[in-house]
Amino acid sequence: MRLASALVLCLCFAGPLQAAPICGDPDTPCETATGSYHIALPEGPGPYPVLVFLHGHGGRGGPMVAGETAREATARGYAYIAPNGLVRPGRDRPSWNFHPDFPGQRDEAAFLHEVMQDAAARFDVDPKRSLLAGFSIGGSLASYIACATPKAFSAYAPVSGSFWRPHPTGCAGAVRLLHTHGWRDEVVPLEGRVIRQVAGRDFAQGDVFHAMSLWRAANGCEAHRADWFETVDGFMRRAWTRCAPGAALQFALFDGGHGVPKGWSTLALDWFEALAGPNQ
């Protein structure tokens, strides 16, 4: 009895047990087999729709889950996932292996699939309600994944980043995509630019208008000219509506430079929620 009483006293004064740290916050990434990611969750039970956002060159996922876009997404009931790019040998800032002609350390499409599977198991996110977005080079990676594997995510929303030269000759199938770009972008101009030469070849950004023609072809759109136009909340938007069943294509310009414009998350999530049914 004395031993039992002593044990009770010890437990009473020991205080509550400390919960094991949960990964995903700005300081504690969730590790997967080939990388890591951060996540912000909304209140309430899942399964949650998810916005996956790829950082630009030199960015990191940690600060992003505490940012404005993450707060707006979680307020609308979305999980917000910010994966981490890798640091290339000889470099000191993370980036993405996005260009098919310059393979890198990791298959990024396979890594993002890995992230989605891990987040579904840990946090009850719903891969069938998934929007892949990205800024700058992150937007380029989102574009290439949309082109090569249109059904990997439910929809795509690249910002200030698109294909590089040489442009793809075609895409695997119809896609649901919203491309947003600054009219005065000088880092990734709408017409693209040469960055440097690699192995005697130009490493050059592509032409966003040509990218839109590739998306129209992939979606089987009936006309080059857009079917719908709107200017509201600082965005000049156009959409192609006479396309293949299940396809969706919209282009939004804003009067600004290289960045994610104010109001983008509302624009993108409103567009995503208006789409009919899953694309998987």
Side-chain angles (χ1 to χ4, degrees):
M1 291 295 294
R2 288 180 180 179
L3 179 60
S5 299
L7 180 58
V8 169
L9 287 171
C10 288
L11 290 174
C12 289
F13 285 105
L17 295 175
Q18 295 295 316
I22 297 175
C23 72
D25 66 24
D27 300 317
T28 312
C30 295
E31 302 288 343
T32 67
T34 61
S36 63
Y37 67 94
H38 300 261
I39 186 168
L41 295 172
E43 295 182 1
Y48 310 107
V50 58
L51 170 59
V52 181
F53 200 102
L54 307 175
H55 61 70
H57 176 69
R60 288 176 170 82
M64 294 169 62
V65 294
E68 181 179 353
T69 300
R71 289 193 298 271
E72 293 177 356
T74 55
R76 291 180 63 149
Y78 287 76
Y80 177 91
I81 294 178
N84 288 306
L86 295 177
V87 179
R88 295 190 182 100
R91 304 292 179 88
D92 58 0
R93 296 196 296 169
S95 191
W96 301 105
N97 300 307
F98 67 93
H99 200 300
D101 290 345
F102 299 96
Q105 303 151 275
R106 157 177 90 184
D107 180 335
E108 303 290 22
F111 165 62
L112 292 178
H113 177 73
E114 182 180 284
V115 166
M116 290 299 295
Q117 295 298 109
D118 189 84
R122 293 191 204 229
F123 303 106
D124 201 17
V125 306
D126 184 358
K128 293 185 177 180
R129 293 184 292 162
S130 56
L131 176 61
L132 178 64
F135 167 64
S136 195
I137 285 179
S140 294
L141 176 58
S143 297
Y144 281 107
I145 290 174
C147 185
T149 54
K151 295 187 181 298
F153 291 82
S154 303
Y156 301 85
V159 185
S160 303
S162 186
F163 297 127
W164 287 53
R165 300 175 194 273
H167 301 93
T169 56
C171 294
V175 68
R176 306 199 296 185
L177 183 136
L178 164 66
H179 183 94
T180 307
H181 217 100
W183 181 252
R184 294 183 285 110
D185 194 331
E186 297 181 2
V187 177
V188 182
L190 286 161
E191 300 81 6
R193 65 186 176 109
V194 176
I195 303 298
R196 62 181 181 276
Q197 283 207 326
V198 178
R201 299 168 54 193
D202 285 343
F203 188 60
Q205 297 163 350
D207 187 311
V208 174
F209 297 107
H210 184 67
M212 297 308 299
S213 72
L214 292 173
W215 297 127
R216 288 195 298 269
N219 282 5
C221 299
E222 294 181 13
H224 292 288
R225 183 184 69 82
D227 304 301
W228 173 89
F229 301 85
E230 179 182 73
T231 300
V232 65
D233 296 331
F235 293 99
M236 295 174 286
R237 302 164 62 185
R238 56 176 56 194
W240 289 261
T241 58
R242 292 176 295 150
C243 304
L249 183 60
Q250 194 169 135
F251 186 28
L253 289 170
F254 62 95
D255 183 19
H258 192 62
V260 179
K262 184 177 178 58
W264 174 84
S265 56
T266 298
L267 168 73
L269 295 179
D270 284 351
W271 170 80
F272 180 60
E273 290 170 6
L275 298 176
N279 185 35
Q280 296 182 317

